[in-house]
Amino acid sequence: AQKITQTQPGMFVQEKEAVTLDCTYDTSDPSYGLFWYKQPSSGEMIFLIYQGSYDQQNATEGRYSLNFQKARKSANLVISASQLGDSAMYFCAMRASNTGNQFYFGTGTSLTVIP
Amino acid sequence: DAGVIQSPRHEVTEMGQEVTLRCKPISGHNSLFWYRQTMMRGLELLIYFNNNVPIDDSGMPEDRFSAKMPNASFSTLKIQPSEPRDSAVYFCASSLSGRNTEAFFGQGTRLTVV
């Protein structure tokens, strides 16, 4: 069975600092994708970044980067230069071929950026 | 494209009434997901369709819940009869099939059963 674990229920970061949100996953499928989503207080789910299991380099999208450590089965999200608007829930998700490409989500991490 | 469209955005109903939530996925997407989000249980996958066929409905809580996808551009999630514990935000999401494609979420329907 696929599983996504986010062990940090809540995190605080000072504005302009970097923060790392942890995500570990478990799958027996060598072919999978990892995703991060942001959910601000307004409620919408916003896709941030994707990492494929065969990608050699860590994914980056602006201030977001994904620290992908395949052997450790971790896919941590790094947000650089935090802004007040980054305060939100962040969800890690996985999609694997051997489970029909379903999306499995973690429980989320609530990030608060402090001015 | 207008994105995934859900209706209604808010629904307040009395216990025992039937509730129908609607979803229009992004044109061309062949995967559709229904999720339920609560503070206690987080984001739960209820059902997953691929090419209009239900692939996994193991997350559907009980027989009171049913979902249909009669064609590629429309899906419904029905609760009959509704109960207060069904109060939650229900999200519909669509995507292309394949492990490397993200899901696009609708704005959600906030359901309150009183």
Side-chain angles (χ1 to χ4, degrees):
Chain A
Q2 323 298 326
K3 187 175 180 181
I4 295 282
T5 302
Q6 294 180 256
T7 57
Q8 306 155 313
M11 291 280 287
F12 292 87
V13 64
Q14 204 75 37
E15 193 178 7
K16 300 180 185 177
E17 297 292 312
V19 63
T20 298
L21 307 183
D22 294 341
C23 173
T24 58
Y25 59 92
D26 187 21
T27 180
S28 58
D29 192 343
S31 177
Y32 53 88
L34 297 158
F35 305 79
W36 278 91
Y37 284 81
K38 173 184 178 181
Q39 187 179 40
S41 58
S42 51
E44 69 268 33
M45 292 285 283
I46 303 166
F47 165 70
L48 295 178
I49 194 167
Y50 161 81
Q51 179 85 43
S53 59
Y54 296 121
D55 293 345
Q56 295 297 313
Q57 292 190 320
N58 288 341
T60 60
E61 288 287 347
R63 295 186 299 109
Y64 303 110
S65 61
L66 203 152
N67 184 359
F68 180 45
Q69 298 188 40
K70 193 170 183 176
R72 295 185 178 184
K73 293 190 175 180
S74 74
N76 299 338
L77 177 71
V78 181
I79 306 174
S80 63
S82 297
Q83 301 172 358
L84 296 179
D86 294 333
S87 294
M89 282 289 290
Y90 288 82
F91 292 93
C92 180
M94 178 174 67
R95 200 173 192 188
S97 301
N98 69 347
T99 53
N101 293 309
Q102 285 193 40
F103 267 97
Y104 292 92
F105 280 82
T107 52
T109 295
S110 176
L111 177 67
T112 302
V113 180
I114 303 167
Chain B
D1 202 313
V4 177
I5 299 173
Q6 290 187 247
S7 64
R9 290 291 310 278
H10 302 273
E11 177 81 29
V12 180
T13 191
E14 290 185 348
M15 183 174 63
Q17 296 298 305
E18 177 180 297
V19 176
T20 299
L21 311 181
R22 296 173 174 79
C23 175
K24 177 179 169 54
I26 292 173
S27 178
H29 283 186
N30 54 359
S31 293
L32 185 137
F33 308 84
W34 281 101
Y35 290 92
R36 177 172 69 176
Q37 186 177 35
T38 59
M39 289 292 291
M40 292 297 294
R41 302 173 71 93
L43 197 61
E44 302 173 273
L45 175 65
L46 299 177
I47 188 167
Y48 162 46
F49 290 90
N50 196 49
N51 293 321
N52 311 338
V53 176
I55 302 300
D56 184 357
D57 64 355
S58 60
M60 296 286 265
E62 47 200 272
D63 292 344
R64 298 185 298 106
F65 285 68
S66 62
K68 293 182 180 179
M69 192 164 185
N71 57 61
S73 59
F74 185 64
S75 177
T76 59
L77 178 68
K78 185 179 293 185
I79 308 172
Q80 166 63 18
S82 58
E83 296 182 3
R85 60 191 169 123
D86 302 330
S87 298
V89 178
Y90 291 80
F91 285 103
C92 175
S94 73
S95 75
L96 297 170
S97 58
R99 60 169 177 81
N100 60 345
T101 55
E102 72 267 32
F104 295 80
F105 281 74
Q107 295 284 71
T109 295
R110 181 172 296 276
L111 174 65
T112 303
V113 183
V114 298

